[in-house]
Amino acid sequence: PSLPRWLPITFGIALATVMSAFVDPGFGLNLGSVRMLASMGIAFALESVVGWIVIRTVLAKTDPDLKPTPEFRFGSLLIVLIAVILSRIVGFEPGMVFGLVVGLTFGVSLALSRDARVKLVGLGWAFAIGIIGWVGYSLLAGASGWLPIFAAETFSALAVSSLAALPVALLPLAGLDGGVLFRWNRWVWAGIYAAAMLVFFFVLMPMPFSWGEIGAPLATWVGLYLAYAVFAVAVWAWFRFVKPKTTATPEAPVATAT
């Protein structure tokens, strides 16, 4: 509480940037890696910090009584780490980067409809800058020179960190944006998730390096799927058999007029 609010956010974004840069097998002590770190940092700042400003601006008009403050979700670093490790293990290109690492706190519990509205604005911003990044990268692909390459890498980082994050952020799990939307309206959630997956494949899959040969052996893929299956069953078993069930509280008596 004694730290300035911007300090953990800056530290968290810097940490997420460095972790995400390792999706590139050539990342190391060279000028290209410095350029990549700068482009990733700009992408994270645009996605998180500017996104927070956009959400606050929208809420100032629709819900002026809400005064959200930003906070870095340090738990999101686990998703960043898993995405980087999986990208490196299987040699998947473009590397998966999770960029939705800054959240908002409101100081009060929001009604589900209000919370869903906030999540929709944030997801809409991520979608918009992802498309802008895709268009910018497409226009600058193949450019030469330090500055054009830097701009192309920045647009690429915007597209990948935003659009690649949507299928994960929209999973109907507690703590993720998708969990709120799923509880609010399952049909809306299903439509948004389908659109996010469509854009994910339409934008990222046609990139030339997406169709390169993946060097990971079949045993690696089988092992990953088996590990995922074991993890999924373990999570299901935890909530089904281990986690204690909450006891329903009796309803309060209703007074009736006679």
Side-chain angles (χ1 to χ4, degrees), residues 169-192:
L170 283 168
L171 289 174
L173 301 176
L176 297 178
D177 292 356
V180 175
L181 296 180
F182 187 81
R183 289 187 290 111
W184 172 60
N185 190 312
R186 296 186 180 185
W187 289 106
V188 172
W189 168 83
I192 294 176

Side-chain angles (χ1 to χ4, degrees), residues 88-256:
R88 293 295 297 270
I89 289 178
V90 303
F92 186 77
E93 293 288 344
M96 304 297 293
V97 176
F98 186 82
L100 305 178
V101 293
V102 173
L104 296 175
T105 57
F106 294 89
V108 294
S109 298
L110 296 183
L112 186 57
S113 59
R114 270 188 166 187
D115 200 5
R117 187 184 311 159
V118 174
K119 299 296 188 288
L120 287 173
V121 174
L123 292 170
W125 170 252
F127 178 82
I129 64 172
I131 295 298
I132 293 173
W134 171 53
V135 173
Y137 172 80
S138 301
L139 294 176
L140 293 174
S144 59
W146 195 92
L147 188 58
I149 292 177
F150 173 70
E153 288 184 348
T154 302
F155 281 123
S156 175
L158 271 177
V160 173
S161 63
S162 300
L163 301 181
L166 290 180
V168 177
L170 283 168
L171 289 174
L173 301 176
L176 297 178
D177 292 356
V180 175
L181 296 180
F182 187 81
R183 289 187 290 111
W184 172 60
N185 190 312
R186 296 186 180 185
W187 289 106
V188 172
W189 168 83
I192 294 176
Y193 196 88
M197 290 299 296
L198 179 64
V199 171
F200 174 82
F201 283 105
F202 182 78
V203 171
L204 298 182
M205 290 300 101
M207 291 184 177
F209 41 77
S210 297
W211 296 97
E213 180 181 356
I214 296 178
L218 179 62
T220 301
W221 285 98
V222 173
L224 287 173
Y225 278 111
L226 288 177
Y228 170 76
V230 171
F231 175 75
V233 172
V235 171
W236 169 81
W238 167 263
F239 285 102
R240 179 66 177 83
F241 301 109
V242 179
K243 187 178 181 181
K245 298 181 179 180
T246 57
T247 304
T249 56
E251 294 183 0
V254 179
T256 58

Side-chain angles (χ1 to χ4, degrees), residues 19 74-83:
M19 292 172 61
F74 281 92
S76 64
L77 291 177
L78 178 61
I79 303 179
V80 175
L81 179 62
I82 293 174

Side-chain angles (χ1 to χ4, degrees), residues 63-87:
D63 299 272
D65 56 317
L66 295 180
K67 300 184 183 300
T69 54
E71 67 171 3
F72 188 86
R73 298 173 176 172
F74 281 92
S76 64
L77 291 177
L78 178 61
I79 303 179
V80 175
L81 179 62
I82 293 174
V84 171
I85 292 176
L86 289 179
S87 297

